[in-house]
């Protein structure tokens, strides 16, 4: 179970003797003396990119020495009256949830802006109708697997069809809200101004993540996508490399050759380094989409979504 929020300076320390009062679900530990600290910048950087951690955990004890084991503790009492310290295996957040949506919901955030910098393009409405085609195998072809996982449809087979990640415990919303959410993103994508849409959703109970049912949340989804209007404003030479030769009007199609192959959905599993040109173009697209949809973002940040 999730044990509570601990400031980053306390990460990797052993639990202090000071605890929250018994039964408390909120509070601040004051004058807490940390028994041990040893987390380095290298630990943090290494952990955040240690994608094989989930797979390696399944090989224990054969993979002894390959784990990143660090102390982790909750500020809540245990049976002996002190918060327990557990040595846990840490790894890339993408092993369970690249966006950490569960933790955001736990903290009571009512208006969430979620950036999906997905490797998998979103299929347009003329290629996929999410209302009529909802089989697991079909969904996996048209949208990043992280999204249906939030609505209770695990397209990776509980981790069985993937090595190193498992999104099967990430349901926060009803599956009936999945198709309307995807449809809203498809409509936004079709405008040529980026796939940005806000949906009002109600949580379902998720005991694993500590999320109760009945919370009403506005989620502003920002799905990485080609944007036809942005492409039209590019210099001719740049546009020649960015717009695919075949089916250029299909936003799910990406360049297959040239300096921007795969843009904007770079495969960061095989392509660990982006050139300055690739990075700058991606940054320009992202900033342009935010500016073009600034009214949506202003409403989301004001918690004034209608």
């Amino acid at each position: 179970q999730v044990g509570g929020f601990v400031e980053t300076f306390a990460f990797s320390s052993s639990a202090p003797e000071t605890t929250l009062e018994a039964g408390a679900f909120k509070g601040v530990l004051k004058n807490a003396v940390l028994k041990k600290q040893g987390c380095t910048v290298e630990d943090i950087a290494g952990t955040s990119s240690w994608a094989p951690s989930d797979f390696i955990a399944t090989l224990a004890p054969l993979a002894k020495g390959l784990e990143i084991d660090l102390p982790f503790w909750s500020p809540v009492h245990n049976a002996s009256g002190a918060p327990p310290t557990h040595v846990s295996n840490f790894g890339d957040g993408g092993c369970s949830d690249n966006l950490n949506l569960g933790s955001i919901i736990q903290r009571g955030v009512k208006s969430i802006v979620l950036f999906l910098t997905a490797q998998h393009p979103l299929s347009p409405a003329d290629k996929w109708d999410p209302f009529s085609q909802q089989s697991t195998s079909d969904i996996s072809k048209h949208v990043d697997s992280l999204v249906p996982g939030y609505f209770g449809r695990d397209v990776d087979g509980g981790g069985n069809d993937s090595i190193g990640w498992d999104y099967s415990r990430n349901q926060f919303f009803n599956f009936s809200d999945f198709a309307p959410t995807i449809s809203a993103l498809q409509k936004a994508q079709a405008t040529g101004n980026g796939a940005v849409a806000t949906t009002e959703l109600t949580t379902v109970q998720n005991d694993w993540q500590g999320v109760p049912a009945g919370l009403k949340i506005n989620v502003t989804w920002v799905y990485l996508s080609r944007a036809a209007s942005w492409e039209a404003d590019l210099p001719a030479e740049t546009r020649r490399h960015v717009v695919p030769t075949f089916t250029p009007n299909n936003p799910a199609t990406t360049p297959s050759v040239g300096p921007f192959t795969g843009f904007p959905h770079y495969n960061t599993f095989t392509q660990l380094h982006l050139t300055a040109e690739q990075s700058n173009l991606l940054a320009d697209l992202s900033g342009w989409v935010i500016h073009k949809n600034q009214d949506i973002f202003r409403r989301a940040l004001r918690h004034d979504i209608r």
Side-chain angles (χ1 to χ4, degrees):
Q1 291 184 340
V2 176
F5 180 72
V6 178
E7 291 287 352
T8 51
F9 74 85
F11 184 69
S12 85
S13 68
S14 296
E17 295 181 0
T18 306
T19 67
L20 296 179
E21 294 182 3
F25 289 94
K26 296 181 180 179
V28 178
L29 295 182
K30 296 182 178 180
N31 302 319
V33 179
L34 303 179
K35 298 180 180 179
K36 172 185 175 294
Q37 283 181 273
C39 191
T40 66
V41 173
E42 290 82 0
D43 289 329
I44 296 170
T47 299
S48 69
S49 298
W50 189 228
S53 62
D54 184 71
F55 172 68
I56 288 174
T58 66
L59 301 178
L62 299 177
K64 192 66 179 176
L66 294 177
E67 307 100 331
I68 298 180
D69 293 330
L70 295 169
F72 189 73
W73 52 273
S74 163
V76 182
H77 281 282
N78 65 3
S80 64
T85 298
H86 298 286
V87 175
S88 301
N89 179 20
F90 285 85
D92 192 315
C95 295
S96 56
D97 183 356
N98 253 325
L99 305 181
N100 204 24
L101 178 58
S103 292
I104 303 173
I105 296 175
Q106 287 170 19
R107 287 167 176 73
V109 180
K110 301 300 183 184
S111 180
I112 299 171
V113 179
L114 212 58
F115 285 86
L116 287 146
T117 53
Q119 180 181 315
H120 199 304
L122 173 66
S123 293
D126 62 342
K127 301 296 182 182
W128 176 48
D129 179 4
F131 289 95
S132 62
Q133 302 176 44
Q134 295 188 342
S135 68
T136 297
S137 60
D138 186 71
I139 291 173
S140 64
K141 300 174 186 176
H142 299 286
V143 64
D144 187 82
S145 62
L146 199 63
V147 182
Y150 291 147
F151 295 87
R153 184 61 61 88
D154 176 34
V155 300
D156 295 321
N160 295 323
D161 296 334
S162 58
I163 298 178
W165 71 90
D166 182 358
Y167 299 154
S168 63
R169 299 183 179 94
N170 291 351
Q171 181 176 10
F172 305 115
F173 312 116
N174 286 298
F175 185 67
S176 59
D177 292 322
F178 172 70
T181 297
I182 295 299
S183 179
L185 284 170
Q186 289 174 324
K187 290 178 181 177
Q189 182 176 249
T191 67
N193 294 330
V196 181
T198 299
T199 54
E200 184 178 11
L201 302 167
T202 302
T203 61
V204 297
Q205 186 163 333
N206 186 323
D207 293 332
W208 180 271
Q209 300 260 15
V211 171
L215 300 179
K216 294 189 179 299
I217 300 172
N218 290 305
V219 181
T220 298
W221 309 83
V222 187
Y223 198 110
L224 181 64
S225 172
R226 287 176 52 203
S229 298
W230 174 80
E231 292 174 352
D233 289 340
L234 291 174
E237 178 65 14
T238 306
R239 188 166 62 251
R240 183 173 68 85
H241 290 295
V242 170
V243 179
T245 303
F246 301 102
T247 61
N249 295 325
N250 180 357
T253 305
T254 60
S256 57
V257 295
F260 300 106
T261 298
F263 180 87
H265 304 280
Y266 295 125
N267 186 338
T268 55
F269 184 79
T270 58
Q271 187 178 2
L272 298 179
H273 174 76
L274 299 182
T275 66
E277 292 80 5
Q278 291 169 335
S279 298
N280 287 336
L281 196 65
L282 191 59
D284 190 84
L285 168 62
S286 301
W288 183 93
V289 168
I290 292 174
H291 185 268
K292 206 69 175 179
N293 294 276
Q294 59 181 290
D295 290 343
I296 295 176
F297 288 102
R298 290 182 189 279
R299 288 196 298 272
L301 296 176
R302 288 201 310 263
H303 295 200
D304 184 29
I305 300 178
R306 297 182 178 85

